[in-house]
Amino acid sequence: MSVYIMADEALFQFLHNEVIQYIYKSSEHGEMENGRCITKLENMGFRVGQGLIERFTKDTARFKDELDVMKFICKDFWTSVFKKQIDNLRTNHQGIYVLQDNKFRLLTQLSAGKQYLEHAPKYLAFTCGLVRGGLSNLGVKSIVTAEVSVMPACKFQVMIQKM
Amino acid sequence: MSVYIMADEALFQFLHNEVIQYIYKSSEHGEMENGRCITKLENMGFRVGQGLIERFTKDTARFKDELDVMKFICKDFWTSVFKKQIDNLRTNHQGIYVLQDNKFRLLTQLSAGKQYLEHAPKYLAFTCGLVRGGLSNLGVKSIVTAEVSVMPACKFQVMIQKM
């Protein structure tokens, strides 16, 4: 891995950390409770995801179905943002997809101890929004949630909203 | 340029935009005036710059002097963040350096009209901090300011603070 790619990753990670800290610092002043911080992060991710897909899919062929879109998110989209693919994609074929990342980049910096597990949600909110925004710009409306069982592994659940 | 490099750039730009908008939105609610927004952005940049240099220079040989450090910032550091080098580096040999970027990435998205010139400072503050933080971690204390004459060209002035 070249030093430039390493720096790219680091740039995103550091800026992402700054955003979390900034938003949570505002909340300490009593201006926002935790839920609203998560929502703010999720909304930021949503807009960034929309923007990325807009640039990203200019030259990309249309997708043939929903599964095809999800595969694109798991491979190309994930690699561009996190430098690796999603490790496992599962679906119930009824509009629920589970994307598993066994080594999620935005969690690897947190220590693996159980006491850090409670901090995980704020490191996942932006990415939930990122996926939702990306999908949205590909015409797929969804609700995206995330859960961590053993750090830094992480599952994102995408529930497609039929329109 | 590969689609991944394009996406990296876009990711940073979009997130950078979100941060600016978020900070300025807080200020609209009367919580902060413009100067404090600029300071917040500059401080974020400072910490990100520190972090980047920390990762970046692990395997790099020590620098022989101040000018050597500045060249590193203009070439390697700038390329890693902005995908291009600084176009022109000048110094008065008394601790002032002027780094000129003829096509500064974070400004290219703004329209070139004069009416947008007033918005330029908020798109420069983070980067001023980024340079200051990078230099700081290389043992060089400085004050960094920026000015735009014709968009998207931009000059960063680094004044070294002798310790």
Side-chain angles (χ1 to χ4, degrees):
Chain A
M1 191 158 61
S2 88
V3 71
Y4 292 126
I5 292 182
M6 221 178 66
D8 272 328
E9 264 198 81
L11 180 63
F12 170 55
Q13 273 186 19
F14 290 135
L15 188 51
H16 182 259
N17 283 350
E18 286 296 323
V19 172
I20 292 172
Q21 271 166 47
Y22 182 75
I23 291 181
Y24 274 82
K25 207 178 262 171
S26 322
S27 101
E28 267 172 32
H29 301 149
E31 292 154 24
M32 268 191 294
E33 69 277 17
N34 185 50
R36 268 193 72 202
C37 293
I38 295 284
T39 305
K40 292 255 175 203
L41 286 167
E42 211 270 349
N43 285 338
M44 276 193 181
F46 182 80
R47 287 185 297 267
V48 172
Q50 283 190 310
L52 281 179
I53 285 290
E54 232 169 75
R55 287 217 194 164
F56 209 59
T57 52
K58 265 182 195 158
D59 312 315
T60 307
R62 298 254 178 136
F63 302 99
K64 65 175 201 280
D65 57 20
E66 193 181 276
L67 182 61
D68 214 32
V69 171
M70 292 306 303
K71 285 181 181 168
F72 172 80
I73 295 288
C74 293
K75 287 186 185 175
D76 301 75
F77 188 70
W78 213 259
T79 305
S80 81
V81 177
F82 301 112
K83 313 301 169 214
K84 71 182 285 297
Q85 295 185 12
I86 281 287
D87 296 295
N88 194 337
L89 168 66
R90 277 182 299 175
T91 177
N92 68 351
H93 298 289
Q94 291 182 16
I96 293 183
Y97 295 84
V98 177
L99 289 63
Q100 184 168 330
D101 187 332
N102 293 330
K103 201 179 169 186
F104 182 55
R105 295 282 151 134
L106 298 178
L107 288 178
T108 49
Q109 52 186 339
L110 284 181
S111 294
K114 265 211 168 150
Q115 69 271 36
Y116 296 101
L117 208 56
E118 60 178 304
H119 291 290
K122 58 181 163 187
Y123 288 89
L124 302 174
F126 180 86
T127 305
C128 287
L130 202 68
V131 173
R132 190 170 67 85
L135 286 172
S136 155
N137 252 34
L138 295 169
V140 178
K141 211 179 151 194
S142 66
I143 293 171
V144 181
T145 55
E147 59 170 348
V148 175
S149 44
V150 183
M151 294 226 264
C154 178
K155 280 179 192 170
F156 293 89
Q157 180 175 285
V158 179
M159 289 166 56
I160 309 293
Q161 307 293 98
K162 294 292 172 204
M163 284 181 274
Chain B
M1 190 158 63
S2 88
V3 69
Y4 292 127
I5 293 183
M6 221 177 68
D8 271 328
E9 263 198 82
L11 181 63
F12 170 54
Q13 273 187 18
F14 289 134
L15 188 51
H16 182 258
N17 284 349
E18 285 296 323
V19 172
I20 293 172
Q21 271 166 47
Y22 183 75
I23 291 182
Y24 274 82
K25 209 179 260 172
S26 322
S27 101
E28 267 171 34
H29 301 149
E31 292 154 24
M32 267 192 294
E33 69 277 18
N34 185 51
R36 270 194 70 203
C37 292
I38 295 285
T39 304
K40 292 256 175 202
L41 287 166
E42 211 272 347
N43 285 338
M44 277 193 181
F46 182 80
R47 287 186 298 267
V48 172
Q50 283 190 309
L52 281 179
I53 284 291
E54 233 169 76
R55 288 218 194 162
F56 209 59
T57 53
K58 265 181 195 160
D59 312 315
T60 307
R62 297 255 177 134
F63 301 100
K64 65 174 201 280
D65 56 20
E66 193 182 275
L67 183 60
D68 215 32
V69 171
M70 293 306 303
K71 283 181 183 168
F72 172 79
I73 295 288
C74 292
K75 286 185 186 177
D76 301 75
F77 188 70
W78 213 259
T79 304
S80 82
V81 177
F82 300 112
K83 313 301 166 213
K84 70 183 286 296
Q85 296 186 11
I86 280 288
D87 296 295
N88 194 336
L89 169 65
R90 277 183 298 175
T91 177
N92 68 351
H93 298 288
Q94 292 183 16
I96 293 183
Y97 295 85
V98 177
L99 289 63
Q100 183 167 329
D101 188 332
N102 294 330
K103 202 179 169 187
F104 183 55
R105 295 283 151 135
L106 299 178
L107 288 179
T108 50
Q109 52 187 340
L110 285 182
S111 294
K114 266 210 166 152
Q115 68 272 35
Y116 295 101
L117 208 55
E118 61 178 304
H119 291 292
K122 58 181 163 187
Y123 288 90
L124 302 175
F126 180 86
T127 304
C128 287
L130 201 69
V131 172
R132 190 169 68 85
L135 286 172
S136 154
N137 252 35
L138 294 170
V140 177
K141 212 181 152 194
S142 66
I143 294 171
V144 182
T145 54
E147 58 169 350
V148 175
S149 44
V150 183
M151 293 225 264
C154 178
K155 281 179 191 171
F156 294 89
Q157 181 174 284
V158 179
M159 289 167 56
I160 308 293
Q161 307 293 96
K162 294 294 172 201
M163 283 181 276

